[in-house]
Amino acid sequence: MISEKQFEQELDRIIANAIREDVGEGDHTSLSCIPISAKGKAKLLVKDAGIIAGVSFAKRVFKTVDANLVVETMLQDGDTVKHGDVVFYVSGSSQSILKAERLVLNAMQRMSAIATKTRCFADLLKGTKTKVLDTRKTTPGIRAIEKWAVKIGGGENHRFALYDMIMIKDNHIDFAGGVSQSIQKTKQYLAENQLDLKIIVEARSLEEIQEILNCGGVYRILIDNFTYEDTRKAVALIGDACLTESSGGINEETIRHYAECGVDYISSGALTHSVYNMDLSLKAV
């Protein structure tokens, strides 16, 4: 996984790019009708229900826009919220509050939706050993905050990007000439480049799982699009040789059944690519 420093840098890039995109040469509406000396206060109002996420990110945005803005938090990341709840108050320059408003709302609405869906999946797994993982199926440019939201919701992060873990999928296997060839070439590449990266390999059949096990040196096997019955067989076949992960269209109706097959992880792209933003507003008080 990426380091804390890398993650912090990603957040700074997201904020800088969003401000560039939204503010540009200036917020001419606020500049034209609100005096630069004007002070104001606003509240983050919840108009929905779920898990709130992005409070810490919002503080970071406000600090970037104007270090003199003061945020008073009423609720924290991961808290359950309902319609009418106030998450925080922000006070200071009225122009600065308005400059940060849309970025804060866009991020928190998205993050809260992801955290809410993740919490739903995590709750469905209670009583099993299985943990829910996200994927790289994220919105381009804001992956860091979406994966942050998954953790707030009670899930875990898969690899962050292509550079922090090896994941040999079906196309890699086919282009490399087979399962064994892809693993062998990967190990050679890592040795030649002195890289210490974990290897995950996707399997499409029980036969491929056995081939992966014969090669050895794999951190986790991705049991992709298997039936419940074949997933149980795969888990038994793998035993303690490495970790196991199920994936492939798993949803709220099926996730518990796959967990009961004994897999260590279940990954779901739906955590980040199929959510509806939580309804939030920033209102002057």
Side-chain angles (χ1 to χ4, degrees):
M1 298 299 294
I2 65 171
S3 67
E4 184 65 27
K5 181 179 180 181
Q6 288 175 304
F7 180 72
E8 296 287 331
Q9 291 172 338
E10 288 291 335
L11 296 181
D12 289 340
R13 292 187 189 104
I14 289 172
I15 293 171
N17 190 52
I19 292 173
R20 175 204 59 77
E21 177 184 60
D22 196 41
V23 180
E25 63 184 19
D27 173 11
H28 294 305
T29 308
S30 297
L31 290 169
S32 65
C33 64
I34 299 174
I36 192 170
S37 59
K39 301 294 182 182
K41 186 175 184 179
K43 62 183 178 182
L44 195 287
L45 181 65
V46 179
K47 301 163 69 177
D48 213 331
I51 304 300
I52 199 70
V55 178
S56 295
F57 182 74
K59 290 180 180 179
R60 195 181 189 100
V61 172
F62 286 128
K63 183 177 180 181
T64 301
V65 170
D66 184 344
N68 292 316
L69 289 176
V70 177
V71 180
E72 179 188 4
T73 54
M74 314 303 290
L75 295 166
Q76 304 298 327
D77 285 321
D79 285 347
T80 300
V81 295
K82 63 184 185 304
H83 192 285
D85 283 344
V86 174
V87 181
F88 60 70
Y89 293 94
V90 57
S91 57
S93 165
S94 298
Q95 286 191 5
S96 296
I97 292 172
L98 290 169
K99 186 184 294 185
E101 175 186 13
R102 181 45 53 194
L103 172 54
V104 166
L105 286 173
N106 285 351
M108 290 195 66
Q109 287 175 323
R110 180 74 179 169
M111 290 180 72
S112 297
I114 291 169
T116 299
K117 191 173 188 74
T118 304
R119 181 67 58 83
C120 173
F121 276 35
D123 285 347
L124 289 169
L125 295 176
K126 284 183 177 178
T128 74
K129 71 171 185 177
T130 311
K131 298 178 181 179
V132 64
L133 293 170
D134 55 23
T135 70
R136 283 171 48 242
K137 296 176 182 177
T138 55
T139 307
I142 60 169
R143 178 172 294 171
I145 63 172
E146 292 191 340
K147 282 183 169 285
W148 188 0
V150 167
K151 294 185 73 173
I152 290 170
E156 293 192 7
N157 294 152
H158 211 298
R159 59 177 177 167
F160 186 83
L162 293 172
Y163 57 78
D164 62 323
M165 186 179 287
I166 296 288
M167 188 167 175
I168 304 173
K169 301 192 72 176
D170 53 356
N171 282 335
H172 300 101
I173 290 169
D174 292 339
F175 285 144
V179 171
S180 298
Q181 295 91 324
S182 64
I183 295 173
Q184 180 182 359
K185 291 175 181 176
T186 295
K187 290 179 179 178
Q188 182 179 352
Y189 171 84
L190 293 176
E192 290 175 349
N193 291 276
Q194 297 182 327
L195 294 172
D196 182 19
L197 298 176
K198 294 175 180 177
I199 302 174
I200 298 177
V201 185
E202 179 183 293
R204 295 166 287 188
S205 66
L206 292 169
E207 291 73 24
E208 285 193 345
I209 288 177
Q210 186 59 63
E211 191 173 352
I212 295 167
L213 293 173
N214 292 341
C215 291
V218 170
Y219 171 68
R220 190 159 76 227
I221 295 178
L222 175 57
I223 306 167
D224 190 53
N225 283 298
F226 278 45
T227 63
Y228 302 139
E229 181 181 359
D230 282 346
T231 300
R232 285 190 288 270
K233 290 179 181 177
V235 170
L237 180 62
I238 295 166
D240 296 328
C242 65
L243 295 173
T244 55
E245 172 189 342
S246 280
S247 70
I250 298 174
N251 55 35
E252 291 93 328
E253 286 71 42
T254 60
I255 189 169
R256 179 78 187 193
H257 297 298
Y258 277 103
E260 290 172 345
C261 292
V263 295
D264 297 297
Y265 297 99
I266 291 174
S267 55
S268 174
L271 297 181
T272 52
H273 72 54
S274 298
V275 294
Y276 296 95
N277 285 0
M278 181 180 286
D279 192 0
L280 304 171
S281 293
L282 192 67
K283 296 295 185 183
V285 295

